[in-house]
Amino acid sequence: MSAADRYEAARENRAHPRTHDFAESQRFRLDPFQVEACRALERGRSVLVAAPTGAGKTIVGEFAVHLAMQTPGQKAFYTTPMKALSNQKFRELQEVYGEDEVGLLTGDTNINGDARVLVMTTEVLRNMLYGDSPALRGLRYVVMDEVHYLADRFRGAVWEEVIIHLPADVRLVSLSATVSNAEEFGDWLDTVRGGTDVIVSETRPVPLEQHVLVRGDLLPLFDGAPPRGGDAAGAQVNRELLRMRGGQAFAAGSSFSDTRRGGKRRGGHHRPAPPRRSERVDRPEVVHLLDRANLLPAIFFIFSRVGCDAAVQQVRRSGLQLTTADERDEIRAVVASRTRALPDEDLAALGYWEWTENLERGIASHHAGLLPAFKEVVEELFRRKLVKVVFATETLALGINMPARTVVLEKLEKFNGEARVGITSGEYTQLTGRAGRRGIDVEGHAVVQWTESMDPQAVAALASRRTYPLNSSFRPTYNMAVNLIDQFGRPRAREVLESSFAQFQADRAVVGLARQVKEAEASLAGYATSMTCEHGDFAEYSAIRRDLSDLEKLNRRDQSASRGTRDKRQREIGGLRRRMQRHPCHRCPDREQHARWAERYWKLRRQTDKTRRQIENRTGTVARVFDRILDVLTALDYVRLDGDEASLTEAGRRMRRIYGDRDLLVAEALRTGIWKNLDAASLASLACCLVYEPRGRDDRGTDPRDLPRGAFRIALSETEDLWARLDDLEQDNRLPGTEPVATGLAAAMHLWARGGLLDRVLTEADMAAGDFVRWAKQTIDLLDQLSIVADGELARTARRALDAVRRGIVAYSSV
């Protein structure tokens, strides 16, 4: 550094002492984007940080927590999209601040909820905001990790609800993958939150080398350095791969392996060879190849759970052993300690012994069907470099801290539930972002396996485009509607919805106008207070004065009016003058002081009304959906309308605490009492029918003869009839409605709630243990809501049902 640079650095450090001290305490030297974001937070700004996976965005969130802990009485919330991420961050923050200062709230887990640092899923924070939770007092910083989740079509709306409803004095730290429209998203954050800096970095701290695996050798994807821009057409793709695409063999001595062994690439003379089929290398050979090239640990992304488990079995059958005796001892100790709480009979049903043997070989699978406890063990062993190879679905790419040296993509397409589609550049970036461990690796490696149909130029395009657009998935729900009506009333609720990112993208100007109205409302309230008169209603008095003044001005300007018109105005002026003189406020000694505030009030009121009309004349797409939802709620007597004003009925107040896609169906079922005769197991089974989402169209239900008998079948039939009536009402109001009730897991959940053994339950469910646990926890979440909002015996039944479901592997928690 030059003397001038050193001086400037010292000056910045003096201006931002907390950032400097925090940076000095870290294991790594902070990157420029991290320093910039931390300094912005220290200046009292909110920040949006968009950077590649593994770049160290979370350090900015940790600095926000650090700032809160430096000031007595302040709190920080750290939100994540997944419980697994919340659990991981909870443990990390506990190590820094101690167990007493850090809490965890994930719906089914509540640890130290009064702590100054709370880690939670985003839905929990949304519910706290709607419920005006006491835990919000003293809140200064909210970290929203993986904020690009707001594009998720199922859960994305929650992120926008939180951003809109957080108190104005809370600083927001939004951490996102690199998105192409970060500035647009940042503009929206600045509009609805104020004072937001956008910090974008496209630099990976660990460079990523791109390879293609061809017949047992690794070829570089690019001839030189990969392009940094998004123009794949200009990428210098390896000419040997292009020749392969054209049916020619690649030259000997040009492989990655030869280069690693010190061999040199031969000159540009290539002998044409007859086309030959490039056969797929089996997985044990690929693992062995990576091991020889010192490219382990590695994650193989396979877009199928069955494929992940089959890959583990294939490597196991080959006899490959990737661990030493000492490592195997360590693996056994970790496994024993993390699974000690699980019953032996459940472990047998889960294939525990074979799973453990695979771990001891250094191999494992990782997917949503795996029991959460088993996934956590795999993650820990991989981080500790004891497991060397993991075969995983793409869910592993979503934020879990499992960096590898190498990422292998066997295919560049996946089944999306309807058809096989190619992965996007954003997905490619997210997956390969796992490669390269900061502080351990000099470079990361991404390996794509060659197939005859592969186009190297298309692969280069995926590898070159670092970004993807962030688009809102926001849509109003019934629960959102009643909470907005309860907090703000109908006109203000529409303005809140006009502030959404969805509306911002549809018409950016509306959000700015809505913010003007929001700020004006606060000023109007202040003016109204200042003109308060003890003699009477000064707003009424000032309105008379304003009308009188307007009419007198009109009469003076309009000299061309007929005598009859002028006489009529004169009579109106006389009447207004008499009303003004008789008004109690006319005798107030402070009348003119109040009048000055009243003039400001009416001037701003006219401007605000004009702005509201501008909003109404714009697109208003989100607010129109809200109006349709309000029409349904009014028809069902959850909301009562009086002109433009709306109020909640008792049923509407109950719906405020019912969350989920089935909020209206659950509220109507409670109101009509169709579940009141259910026992605990039957209620658990019915709740499962409402949360369960089949993976395929053919998995909607169970044979009716296999469903629980008695009161359950009656309640199910009445619930399905109720759903059909609500669906008709929604269709009439041009709303999309919900999917029919799904009974595919009803019998298995009934058996589990009655104390059935795990192996019988999983056989009945015909699903993996991890899937069953996920649906069981969602069932618990709905039962918990019912235990709070239902009346009398049904609430007690819901609590018993909750306890019946939350046992064994479902109750297991590592935190």
Side-chain angles (χ1 to χ4, degrees):
M1 292 177 66
S2 67
D5 290 339
R6 287 196 299 273
Y7 173 79
E8 180 61 23
R11 189 181 68 81
E12 287 287 355
N13 289 337
R14 286 194 299 272
H16 302 92
R18 291 185 173 185
T19 299
H20 175 69
D21 292 345
F22 179 77
E24 291 294 308
S25 69
Q26 301 305 303
R27 292 186 299 120
F28 303 112
R29 182 184 179 87
L30 295 192
D31 291 332
F33 85 90
Q34 295 169 322
V35 173
E36 182 184 357
C38 291
R39 286 174 176 171
L41 280 173
E42 189 172 355
R43 291 194 302 270
R45 308 275 293 176
S46 292
V47 293
L48 165 64
V49 181
T53 301
K57 297 183 291 290
T58 56
I59 200 74
V60 182
E62 290 165 11
F63 179 66
V65 175
H66 171 79
L67 286 177
M69 296 302 286
Q70 296 293 304
T71 307
Q74 287 191 356
K75 292 182 179 179
F77 289 176
Y78 198 110
T79 73
T80 76
M82 295 183 294
K83 293 177 183 179
L85 275 175
S86 293
N87 293 345
Q88 180 176 301
K89 184 54 66 175
F90 169 67
R91 288 190 290 265
E92 291 174 3
L93 291 173
Q94 271 191 326
E95 292 176 5
V96 178
Y97 298 106
E99 293 184 2
D100 292 341
E101 297 287 7
V102 184
L104 177 67
L105 302 173
T106 59
D108 58 350
T109 303
N110 186 333
I111 300 174
N112 200 13
D114 295 325
R116 290 178 61 196
V117 180
L118 286 178
V119 183
M120 63 189 70
T121 51
T122 316
E123 282 85 354
V124 170
L125 179 52
R126 186 270 312 273
N127 299 351
M128 290 171 71
L129 288 167
Y130 280 157
D132 194 23
S133 169
L136 296 169
R137 296 188 191 115
L139 180 61
R140 177 60 177 166
Y141 297 96
V142 167
V143 181
M144 301 194 78
D145 204 353
E146 310 283 344
V147 75
H148 52 272
Y149 250 82
L150 68 76
D152 184 87
R153 65 191 182 101
F154 298 110
R155 299 172 57 209
V158 175
W159 273 256
E160 292 191 47
E161 289 180 80
V162 167
I163 291 169
I164 292 169
H165 291 305
L166 275 173
D169 61 342
V170 173
R171 299 297 88 197
L172 189 64
V173 182
S174 304
L175 307 178
S176 171
T178 309
V179 293
S180 54
N181 59 336
E183 286 75 14
E184 179 189 37
F185 183 48
D187 287 346
W188 173 70
L189 289 172
D190 190 68
T191 302
V192 296
R193 303 286 318 159
T196 301
D197 289 355
V198 179
I199 294 115
V200 177
S201 172
E202 296 189 30
T203 304
R204 280 178 51 98
V206 180
L208 184 65
E209 297 290 328
Q210 309 273 354
H211 312 279
V212 178
L213 177 62
V214 184
R215 290 204 296 274
D217 249 317
L218 293 173
L219 295 179
L221 175 60
F222 298 102
D223 265 335
R228 292 191 175 276
D231 183 11
Q236 296 299 313
V237 179
N238 189 336
R239 286 166 293 179
E240 293 170 3
L241 292 174
L242 295 176
R243 277 190 286 272
M244 286 286 295
R245 173 70 169 166
Q248 293 178 304
F250 63 91
S254 61
S255 71
F256 173 86
S257 301
D258 284 342
T259 305
R260 284 258 159 172
R261 290 192 292 268
K264 294 184 179 179
R265 191 184 286 251
R266 297 183 184 178
H269 304 288
H270 302 282
R271 285 187 299 173
R276 55 172 286 191
R277 183 172 180 80
S278 179
E279 295 183 1
R280 206 167 183 74
V281 180
D282 67 16
R283 289 168 181 129
E285 286 189 32
V286 177
V287 172
H288 189 55
L289 168 67
L290 298 178
D291 191 24
R292 286 201 324 268
N294 194 28
L295 294 181
L296 297 182
I299 299 172
F300 286 65
F301 281 111
I302 301 173
F303 303 114
S304 153
R305 302 176 184 186
V306 173
C308 290
D309 292 335
V312 171
Q313 293 305 317
Q314 186 183 5
V315 175
R316 180 171 178 254
R317 286 194 300 270
S318 74
L320 200 62
Q321 181 72 260
L322 300 173
T323 55
T324 65
D326 289 343
E327 288 174 331
R328 289 192 288 277
D329 289 341
E330 198 172 343
I331 288 168
R332 279 190 287 271
V334 171
V335 171
S337 121
R338 297 294 290 271
T339 60
R340 189 175 293 119
L342 298 175
D344 287 345
E345 61 270 21
D346 287 356
L347 291 176
L350 295 167
Y352 171 82
W353 311 112
E354 184 178 303
W355 172 71
T356 303
E357 184 182 336
N358 292 334
L359 292 176
E360 290 178 18
R361 290 179 177 274
I363 55 177
S365 62
H366 189 290
H367 53 71
L370 203 63
L371 188 71
F374 285 15
K375 280 198 291 188
E376 291 171 9
V377 169
V378 172
E379 291 160 13
E380 179 177 347
L381 293 177
F382 194 80
R383 285 195 296 269
R384 292 169 63 167
K385 296 183 282 189
L386 297 171
V387 163
K388 319 293 184 180
V389 174
V390 169
F391 297 95
T393 56
E394 68 266 35
T395 54
L396 180 57
L398 300 176
I400 297 293
N401 182 24
M402 278 183 64
R405 177 164 295 172
T406 303
V407 163
V408 180
L409 301 179
E410 293 194 351
K411 293 181 180 178
L412 295 177
E413 62 177 23
K414 64 177 183 177
F415 186 69
N416 67 357
E418 297 178 357
R420 298 205 70 81
V421 297
I423 65 173
T424 66
S425 58
E427 289 169 330
Y428 184 92
T429 301
Q430 191 82 0
L431 296 167
T432 57
R434 292 279 147 215
R437 298 160 301 175
R438 188 168 188 172
I440 301 174
D441 298 320
V442 176
E443 59 195 17
H445 298 270
V447 177
V448 177
Q449 199 150 312
W450 176 269
T451 63
E452 290 298 318
S453 60
M454 178 182 289
D455 178 2
Q457 198 73 51
V459 180
L462 288 175
S464 302
R465 291 194 183 99
R466 293 284 184 173
T467 60
Y468 55 96
L470 180 62
N471 294 313
S472 172
S473 61
F474 183 83
R475 59 182 176 83
T477 65
Y478 296 106
N479 170 270
M480 188 191 304
V482 293
N483 273 292
L484 288 173
I485 291 294
D486 184 55
Q487 288 191 25
F488 306 114
R490 185 180 184 179
R492 176 78 181 95
R494 295 180 94 257
E495 290 161 13
V496 167
L497 293 171
E498 295 287 7
S499 298
S500 67
F501 188 44
Q503 185 60 56
F504 186 81
Q505 290 189 305
D507 182 356
R508 292 182 63 162
V510 167
V511 177
L513 294 173
R515 187 180 182 195
Q516 289 177 30
V517 170
K518 180 180 178 182
E519 292 172 349
E521 291 284 4
S523 298
L524 287 169
Y527 294 165
T529 301
S530 298
M531 69 180 182
T532 300
C533 177
E534 61 182 12
H535 289 79
D537 185 348
F538 203 89
E540 181 183 72
Y541 174 73
S542 64
I544 298 171
R545 281 181 53 145
R546 182 172 54 87
D547 291 344
L548 176 60
S549 175
D550 290 345
L551 200 55
E552 287 175 336
K553 288 178 184 175
L554 177 61
N555 211 32
R556 285 196 299 270
R557 285 199 308 265
D558 192 9
Q559 297 295 326
S560 61
S562 67
R563 183 181 180 88
T565 300
R566 291 176 61 83
D567 286 346
K568 181 182 176 183
R569 286 179 188 160
Q570 206 60 49
R571 287 193 297 272
E572 291 175 356
I573 289 172
L576 286 170
R577 197 169 280 137
R578 286 190 295 273
R579 283 182 60 197
M580 179 184 72
Q581 290 169 351
R582 287 198 297 264
H583 198 283
C585 292
H586 192 65
R587 296 186 297 274
C588 176
D590 298 321
R591 182 184 67 198
E592 292 310 310
Q593 182 180 346
H594 296 328
R596 284 192 292 273
W597 286 109
E599 281 301 315
R600 297 178 189 177
Y601 176 89
W602 289 112
K603 182 179 179 181
L604 183 57
R605 179 68 178 269
R606 281 194 293 269
Q607 293 173 350
T608 304
D609 290 343
K610 181 180 177 182
T611 305
R612 281 203 178 96
R613 287 193 294 272
Q614 286 180 271
I615 292 173
E616 289 170 3
N617 292 332
R618 292 182 183 271
T619 54
T621 51
V622 177
R624 280 201 290 272
V625 175
F626 170 72
D627 288 339
R628 292 171 196 160
I629 285 174
L630 218 55
D631 289 341
V632 171
L633 293 172
T634 303
L636 295 171
D637 199 35
Y638 286 87
V639 171
R640 289 187 183 139
L641 297 180
D642 181 10
D644 201 35
E645 296 302 318
S647 59
L648 301 184
T649 64
E650 182 58 37
R653 286 189 286 275
R654 170 186 277 169
M655 186 186 275
R656 290 177 310 164
R657 295 173 291 173
I658 300 173
Y659 302 98
D661 289 341
R662 305 280 193 184
D663 47 9
L664 182 60
L665 180 58
V666 171
E668 277 292 275
L670 291 177
R671 188 167 69 165
T672 54
I674 60 178
W675 297 344
K676 63 183 180 182
N677 295 323
L678 295 174
D679 61 17
S682 296
L683 183 59
S685 184
L686 190 55
C688 181
C689 293
L690 298 186
V691 300
Y692 176 57
E693 297 173 6
R695 296 191 70 189
R697 294 185 181 274
D698 299 330
D699 187 29
R700 286 228 67 88
T702 301
D703 187 324
R705 293 170 296 183
D706 296 331
L707 291 172
R709 300 178 185 276
F712 173 84
R713 294 195 183 183
I714 297 171
L716 175 64
S717 177
E718 291 179 334
T719 302
E720 290 173 330
D721 290 344
L722 177 58
W723 171 84
R725 293 195 299 275
L726 294 177
D727 190 59
D728 289 342
L729 181 59
E730 289 173 320
Q731 295 293 332
D732 291 343
N733 284 276
R734 292 176 295 159
L735 291 169
T738 57
E739 291 293 318
V741 175
T743 60
L745 200 52
M749 190 58 66
H750 192 267
L751 178 60
W752 177 255
R754 287 191 293 114
L757 295 176
L758 179 64
D759 58 347
R760 283 190 57 205
V761 170
L762 294 181
T763 300
E764 178 66 46
D766 190 24
M767 67 173 51
D771 291 322
F772 177 76
V773 169
R774 185 170 72 257
W775 294 122
K777 289 193 172 183
Q778 292 198 31
T779 300
I780 287 171
D781 186 52
L782 177 53
L783 290 170
D784 187 43
Q785 292 179 45
L786 294 179
S787 72
I788 296 170
V789 302
D791 296 324
E793 185 57 33
L794 182 57
R796 289 187 286 273
T797 303
R799 179 54 57 183
R800 291 194 295 273
L802 187 157
D803 292 337
V805 175
R806 191 163 56 194
R807 65 180 181 87
I809 62 170
V810 176
Y812 170 83
S813 175
S814 63
V815 295

